[in-house]
Amino acid sequence: MKKTIITLAASMLCAITMTACGTTSLDPESYCTVDVDGANGYATAELEPDYQALALVFSSKAENSEDKLVSALYADLIRFEITSDKKEKLSNGDVIEVEVKYNKDALKQIGYSLSKDSFSYKVEGLEEVKELDPFKDLKISYTGYAPNAGIEIDSSGCEELIRQNIAFEYDRDLKVDNGDTFTVKAVCLSDKALLDAGYIMNNNTYQATVSGVQEAKQVDPFEGLEINFSGMSPQITADTDASGCDQFIRNNITFKPEKELYANGEKVKILVEYDKDSFSDNGLALSVEEKEFDIDSMPYYLEGYEGMDFTETDQELRDLVEAEFAEKGYYKEATVQSKTITYRMHAVDKYRLNEFELTPVKRIFAAAKDAGNEIQNKYIIVWKASIQAEKTDTKNHFNLSDKNPFGTILDLEFYATSSVRNVAANTDGSLNTDNTENIISMYILSSTGKADETTTVESICNRIKSNNSNEFSVSVSDYE
């Protein structure tokens, strides 16, 4: 698609005329070709000056070789320049203006002049542009099985202009099913190459619809899967057992609960992790990738003791305290500091229990605020112990005077707490203590038999509430 003015050597010689003063006048248009390339409305113009022809003319008057060489160099003093505003997207009928720049006095020195300082060229003969369909003869095929088939694009069957100047882009990682759509984009690598061939590309996208892909066999990965629940609400865990599943499923799928802990009434969502490409390569596809399971009634951690029968538990907590007193008796310890040395030693009196009475006075329940807490609850009883003790032994490292000789009888009061952690209830309403842990603490009151100001039932309860308030909701009530 090119319109070119061609100037031959014969026409150059004909363009030479003699002036009256002996200088030769040249038509500059005869020494510059205007090349118009492209289709109508899309053409561009370029100038191709023939300086070699000018040099040949300028040297023709010289008498010797040296003068011929010098005269020929004057051709380089002439410059051609397009002055039209429109140099691109030219159409038939457009006029291109060309300005000739040169040094008149210099040309006179060798006996030449130019007949004009500018000339024009009218664009004609440009062919109409044609629209290129880049997707004509483009082959789209699919690999693997639906719904996870891969996409392949082949342009080898397209015409040469498309193969050399158009690149096709698409999501190479996309997996598709029959009926899916995806976009192929045509990217022009050289607009000029298309225009030189008389083409433009207006449509650069193609929406392809997937069809004809062989369907993969649908398999249910949860067929044969068993879910086993353990623990107590709200700390129930779900474990999967795939031993009843197909071997390919067992080898290529990992079953995973959506979260770690569950409570009664929740649904357990089991997710699958697998390599889709591995399944697709074997002509398989999962019909479902997640499934919900109901949690069967499971034991649950108590949030309070109301409505529950704690008779056996209370007896066990009583036995703990009584066993503690029966095993250790009563030891009264006094720490004494020496006036001359810095270390501490102990004086210990040992008493035998003659009488012992244990009475429950307070009941405390602490329920965990966080379902993930390792300890979900604490059931605590505060006991009052009334004791009559007889002194049976002493160990006095400082030979201190013994104010209470052997056989001295003391009437004493103690407070003790015994507790059980993680008390749960079975679905039938009975207590479940399989996961429990028993704790016992002793609080000593004054040996005079009267409670001092710092150790009372109230202070013990307040201390327990303070120590547990961050993680537990604590309630205190009288033991009835």
Side-chain angles (χ1 to χ4, degrees), residues 252-263:
N252 293 277
I253 286 184
T254 299
F255 296 95
K256 187 177 181 180
E258 186 178 33
K259 62 179 185 176
E260 183 179 358
L261 300 176
Y262 294 88

Side-chain angles (χ1 to χ4, degrees), residues 153-166:
I153 301 292
D154 182 10
S155 62
S156 61
C158 299
E159 61 179 283
E160 184 178 0
L161 182 65
I162 294 176
R163 294 199 310 273
Q164 294 182 352
N165 297 284
I166 304 294

Side-chain angles (χ1 to χ4, degrees), residues 131-141 151-163 165-171 182-188 194 199-209:
E131 186 170 340
L132 179 68
D133 180 6
F135 303 103
K136 181 183 178 182
D137 300 323
L138 184 69
K139 182 180 180 182
I140 301 178
S141 59
I151 303 170
E152 287 189 350
I153 301 292
D154 182 10
S155 62
S156 61
C158 299
E159 61 179 283
E160 184 178 0
L161 182 65
I162 294 176
R163 294 199 310 273
N165 297 284
I166 304 294
F168 295 96
E169 296 180 351
Y170 62 99
D171 186 353
F182 63 94
T183 301
V184 181
K185 184 177 181 180
V187 180
C188 183
L194 294 189
Y199 288 95
I200 60 170
M201 185 178 69
N202 290 326
N203 178 28
N204 67 341
T205 59
Y206 175 71
Q207 195 79 3
T209 301

Side-chain angles (χ1 to χ4, degrees), residues 393-419:
D393 192 12
T394 187
K395 293 181 180 179
N396 192 329
H397 299 281
F398 295 99
N399 295 319
L400 302 177
S401 60
D402 192 351
K403 297 180 180 180
N404 296 320
F406 294 140
T408 298
I409 303 296
L410 295 178
D411 292 320
L412 306 172
E413 283 186 355
F414 287 82
Y415 284 116
T417 64
S418 55
S419 64

